[in-house]
């Protein structure tokens, strides 16, 4: 790892994880990668690993702003962006929680009962 470090600005270690009992090994790999400034990507299938490689190659010569997400600067847009990173929360849910509870801090501090009062947020 140390020898490869000198020749490249971006160092990525792509690991194909094909076992459920690999936590200790992955911890060791991750620790070594952090110490040496590498990024670790875990793939659960050869197809997923291939997609990562294809994506990296497609963006190899692109500028950073080409792949960065553009988020509006206002508070509501940023709040919506944060909340919709949760798989089960859509833009409508984010708007409902925002109008009912206000801030991200209020939403995070709200109980399940309080969140359930927001129409459509806890769907069956």
């Amino acid at each position: 790892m140390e020898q490869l470090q000198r020749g490249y600005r971006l160092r990525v270690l792509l690991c194909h994880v094909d076992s459920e009992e690999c936590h200790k090994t992955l911890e060791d790999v991750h620790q070594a990668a952090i110490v040496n400034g590498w990024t670790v990507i875990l793939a659960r299938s050869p197809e997923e690993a291939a997609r990562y490689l294809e994506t990296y190659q497609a963006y190899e010569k692109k500028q950073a702003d080409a792949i960065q997400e553009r988020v509006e600067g206002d508070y509501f847009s940023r709040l919506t962006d944060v909340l919709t990173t949760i798989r089960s929360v859509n833009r409508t849910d984010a708007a409902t929680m925002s109008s009912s509870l206000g801030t991200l801090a209020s939403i995070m501090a709200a109980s399940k009962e309080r969140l359930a009062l927001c129409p459509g947020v806890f769907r069956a």
Side-chain angles (χ1 to χ4, degrees):
M1 283 181 129
E2 290 177 15
Q3 291 174 340
L4 290 173
Q5 209 165 307
R6 296 183 200 114
Y8 303 95
R9 289 186 312 155
L10 176 64
R11 293 168 301 275
V12 178
L13 180 60
L14 177 59
C15 298
H16 175 210
V17 180
D18 59 354
S19 170
E20 293 298 322
E21 302 300 321
C22 59
H23 299 291
K24 177 64 176 138
T25 304
L26 288 176
E27 280 182 28
D28 294 342
V29 168
H30 192 246
Q31 185 175 16
I34 288 174
V35 167
N36 290 293
W38 287 62
T39 299
V40 177
I41 299 177
L42 304 178
R44 289 286 181 180
S45 69
E47 293 81 12
E48 184 180 8
R51 281 193 307 271
Y52 281 123
L53 290 174
E54 289 169 348
T55 302
Y56 268 99
Q57 188 170 11
Y59 287 103
E60 184 176 32
K61 305 284 187 220
K62 305 273 186 199
Q63 295 293 325
D65 59 350
I67 60 174
Q68 290 177 329
E69 184 177 3
R70 287 156 188 75
V71 178
E72 297 296 321
D74 66 289
Y75 182 77
F76 177 72
S77 295
R78 292 190 331 232
L79 178 62
T80 301
D81 187 55
V82 168
L83 291 174
T84 55
T85 60
I86 302 167
R87 185 176 300 193
S88 61
V89 177
N90 60 34
R91 296 181 71 75
T92 304
D93 295 338
T96 301
M97 288 187 284
S98 176
S99 64
S100 298
L101 299 167
T103 65
L104 179 61
S106 300
I107 294 168
M108 293 177 64
S111 65
K112 284 184 179 182
E113 292 78 22
R114 178 64 182 103
L115 289 170
L117 295 176
C118 296
V121 172
F122 278 118
R123 292 178 286 281

